[in-house]
Amino acid sequence: MTATASPALVAFDDAIARFDPVLGLEVHVELNTASKMFCGCAAVFGAEPNTQTCPVCLGLPGALPVVNETAVESAIRIGLALNCEIATWCRFARKNYFYPDMPKNFQTSQYDEPIAFNGYTEIDVDGEVFRVEIERAHMEEDTGKSLHVGGATGRIHGASHSLVDYNRAGIPLIEVVTKPIEGAGKLAPVVARAYVAHLRVLLSGLGVSDVRMDQGSLRCDVNLSLRASADAPYGTRSETKNLNSLRSVERAVRYEVSRQAALLDSGERVVQETRHWHEDTGITTAGREKSDAEDYRYFPEPDLVPIAPDRAWVAQLQATLPEPLAERRTRLQTVWEFSDLEMRDVLGAGAMLLIEQTVAAGASPTAAKKWWLSELARRANDAGTTLEELSITPAQVAGVQALVDTGRVNDKLAREVLEGVLAGEGEPADVVSARGLEVVSDDGALTAAVDRAIAHNPEVAAKIRDGKAAAAGALIGAVMKELRGQADAARVRELIVEKLG
Amino acid sequence: MPDPRPAITRDDVAHLAQLARIELTAAELDHLAPQLAVIVESVAAVSAVAAQDVPPSSHALPLQNVFRRDEVRPSLSPQEALAGAPESEQQRFAVPRILGEEA
Ligand SMILES: [Zn+2]
C-alpha cells in the first residue's frame, strides 16, 4: 500500500448537517449477448484465458469490426426503459488511451452521439418515490482483465509485471450516466444504493444482462461532491471506481462525504481524481488525478458506419417493453398478498427479484419471503454481502422449501440444508443425503425412541395419562434430542397420544 | 465552421507526442511543429470548398446500419492468439508493470 496519510474524517451526520452532497452515478452493464460487440467471439463469463479472442477483439492489423445487432437492440430497450430519447443517427467513437487492457490502444465507445439520452427513472427510497434524471446511455465495449504478478495480493502495488486475458475485451457494455442527483441530503448513500438496485431489477426484467455485480456484469462508479448549500455552485468531485456490490456503493458514498467534509473543513481543496474503494478497510484511496493523460482524443470510428435506428423498430421495441417497475411492484404485491409494510421490507432488502424467481421455481410467496428476509438476510449480513451475492440460487431456495413442504425436513433441518448449499455442497437434495438430514418418520425408529422417552420420564408420562396433554411437549423434546432434531414432530405426538392417551 | 488556419504550436506538438507516447527531442519539436502546421493548413483548405450544406462525414461510403447477427463464430486458439505476443505467461499476455490504475 502507498503510505498516504488518511485524513481525519468528519462523522457522516455532522458532515451532512453542514454540506449538501451531489451525486452522479455511472453504471456499466455487460450485455448477455451470445457474441461480442464487434466480432463473433463468445461472450461467456469464466472461460479459460484467451480462448475467446480473434483478430478483431485483439486489434490485429486489417481486422474490421461489425456491430452486433442484438446489442444495439438491447441498448435501445435500456434507453426506452429509462424514458430516454433514442438517437435518430449516431456513431461510435474511438477513445484513445495507452493501457494494456485494450490491445487496440483505444476503446470503441460513443462520445457526443449516445444512442439514448435525456431520460429519467423513478426509484423507491424507503417507501418514497425519488426521481433520478438520466443523462445518457451509450454503447461501448468492455476491456480485458489484468492480473498483477509479483505483488502480495494481485494488486498493482509491488507487482513486477501484469498478465492480460482478453476474453472480456469487446463484450458489449452499456454505460448509463445520471445527471447530477441533488436533494438527496442525508439519504445520499441510500439513494445511490437504491438506484443501482433499481437498475438491476429493471435490467433483469428486460433480460439484457445477468446483472451479477459479483461477476462484474454490473459495476458502478460514484461521483460525489459537496457544496455549502443547495443553491451554491457544485464543488469539486471525486470519482470512486468499480464498486461491485450494492453495499460498497452505499459505504463509498458515506466515506466520501466524510472525507471531503474533513478536507473542506480544514481549508484544503478536494482534488478531482479517480479513487479506489477498499472493501476490507472501508476507505477510498487516490488513483489518477485528472490530467493531460485523460485527454482521450475522441474521434468518430472510421471502421464502423453510423447507426440510424429505424423509427418503426424503436416503436416496436417500445411496445414490447416489460411492464414498468412501479407497476410490477404493485402487481407483485397484489399477487403475493403482502401488506405495504411487508412489501417495503422486501424492497428494502433488495429481494423482490429473488422472491419473484423463488416463487417462479415453486415456493409460496410467504415461504420465499421468509427465507430471503430472515435466514438468508442474516447470513448475507454476517458475510458482509448482499442477498444476490450469496452462493445460492432462487431455485435452490425453492428446493429447500419443497423439502419442507413434503415433510422430508423440518424448519430446523432446512436451515442446515441452506447452510450446506451455501457452503457449496450441491443441490438441496444432495445436502440432505450427504449430511443425513432427513426427518425420521419411520414408525419403528420413532416408536423405539418414544418408548425410551416414556421410560426415562415416568412423571411426565403419568401427567399425560392423567389427561394433561400439554405435558407431551417434554416427551417430544426428549425424542427430538435423541434423534438430533430429525424426528417428525407431528408423528411423535401421535405416537405418544396412542401410547398414553 | 473550423478556423481555416488552426495554429499548431510547438507546445501542441509536445502535448500530442506525450499523449501518443512518442519521445521527441527539442530539435525534433522545432522541426515538426511548423511541418504539422503546414499539413493542417493544407487539409483545412477542404473547408473552403465544402459548402455549408455538406455535412461533416467520417466515412467515404453512404452506408448506415450495417449489422451482424448475434452469432458465435470460432475464436482463435490461445496459442494462435498469443503467437504475436512478445511474452506470455499462464496463457495470458505478459506486459510490463502497469502504473497508476487498478484494472
Ligand atoms: Zn473477437
Side-chain angles (χ1 to χ4, degrees), chain A residues 36 39 41 53-54 57:
Chain A
K36 290 189 180 180
C39 64
C41 288
T53 70
C54 73
C57 56

Side-chain angles (χ1 to χ4, degrees), chain A residues 185-257:
Chain A
K186 67 177 177 0
L187 288 176
V190 184
V191 165
R193 178 192 177 123
Y195 168 76
V196 179
H198 171 88
L199 270 193
R200 283 193 69 248
V201 177
L202 182 140
L203 293 164
S204 166
L206 291 172
V208 294
S209 169
D210 300 337
V211 291
R212 291 280 301 260
M213 294 192 84
D214 57 326
Q215 293 184 354
S217 57
L218 190 141
R219 320 190 276 272
C220 179
D221 300 345
V222 172
N223 288 280
L224 186 113
S225 64
L226 296 181
R227 54 182 174 174
S229 65
D231 49 10
Y234 293 151
T236 307
R237 65 190 163 85
S238 65
E239 181 180 6
T240 306
K241 305 285 277 183
N242 282 334
L243 297 162
N244 61 3
S245 74
L246 294 176
R247 187 164 169 268
S248 42
V249 170
E250 181 174 347
R251 290 174 75 204
V253 171
R254 285 186 75 91
Y255 179 81
E256 277 298 294
V257 167

Side-chain angles (χ1 to χ4, degrees), chain A residues 79-275:
Chain A
L80 291 171
L82 292 170
N83 304 296
C84 287
E85 296 172 46
I86 303 302
T88 50
W89 188 88
C90 65
R91 289 179 294 188
F92 283 98
R94 288 190 181 183
K95 178 183 180 181
N96 298 281
Y97 67 99
F98 288 89
Y99 195 74
D101 64 0
M102 276 320 264
K104 304 187 286 191
N105 281 347
F106 63 85
Q107 180 187 30
T108 308
S109 181
Q110 292 194 290
Y111 183 46
D112 51 356
E113 299 166 4
I115 190 155
F117 51 94
N118 208 15
Y120 69 89
T121 193
E122 288 180 331
I123 67 175
D124 183 288
V125 179
D126 289 351
E128 302 285 328
V129 172
F130 192 96
R131 181 171 158 130
V132 175
E133 306 288 335
I134 304 295
E135 172 86 31
R136 58 191 279 158
H138 73 247
M139 299 181 282
E140 59 183 35
E141 58 180 334
D142 211 344
T143 58
K145 255 187 175 159
S146 310
L147 189 71
H148 306 295
V149 184
T153 56
R155 298 198 114 106
I156 276 180
H157 293 293
S160 57
H161 59 291
S162 300
L163 302 177
V164 195
D165 168 14
Y166 290 118
N167 283 348
R168 201 179 67 178
I171 289 184
L173 211 57
I174 305 298
E175 180 173 343
V176 180
V177 182
T178 67
K179 290 182 179 162
I181 301 171
E182 304 177 14
K186 67 177 177 0
L187 288 176
V190 184
V191 165
R193 178 192 177 123
Y195 168 76
V196 179
H198 171 88
L199 270 193
R200 283 193 69 248
V201 177
L202 182 140
L203 293 164
S204 166
L206 291 172
V208 294
S209 169
D210 300 337
V211 291
R212 291 280 301 260
M213 294 192 84
D214 57 326
Q215 293 184 354
S217 57
L218 190 141
R219 320 190 276 272
C220 179
D221 300 345
V222 172
N223 288 280
L224 186 113
S225 64
L226 296 181
R227 54 182 174 174
S229 65
D231 49 10
Y234 293 151
T236 307
R237 65 190 163 85
S238 65
E239 181 180 6
T240 306
K241 305 285 277 183
N242 282 334
L243 297 162
N244 61 3
S245 74
L246 294 176
R247 187 164 169 268
S248 42
V249 170
E250 181 174 347
R251 290 174 75 204
V253 171
R254 285 186 75 91
Y255 179 81
E256 277 298 294
V257 167
S258 295
R259 184 187 70 88
Q260 293 187 16
L263 286 173
L264 297 171
D265 275 352
S266 61
E268 289 179 58
R269 68 185 183 100
V270 174
V271 180
Q272 189 178 343
E273 64 190 356
T274 60
R275 297 188 66 86

Side-chain angles (χ1 to χ4, degrees), chain A residues 41-57:
Chain A
C41 288
V44 184
F45 177 83
E48 287 298 305
N50 294 304
T51 51
Q52 294 171 180
T53 70
C54 73
V56 172
C57 56

Side-chain angles (χ1 to χ4, degrees), chain B residues 1-6 8 35-50:
Chain B
M1 286 294 288
D3 184 337
R5 300 194 52 170
I8 294 276
Q35 285 196 2
L36 280 170
V38 170
I39 291 169
V40 170
E41 231 171 275
S42 309
V43 174
V46 172
S47 312
V49 187

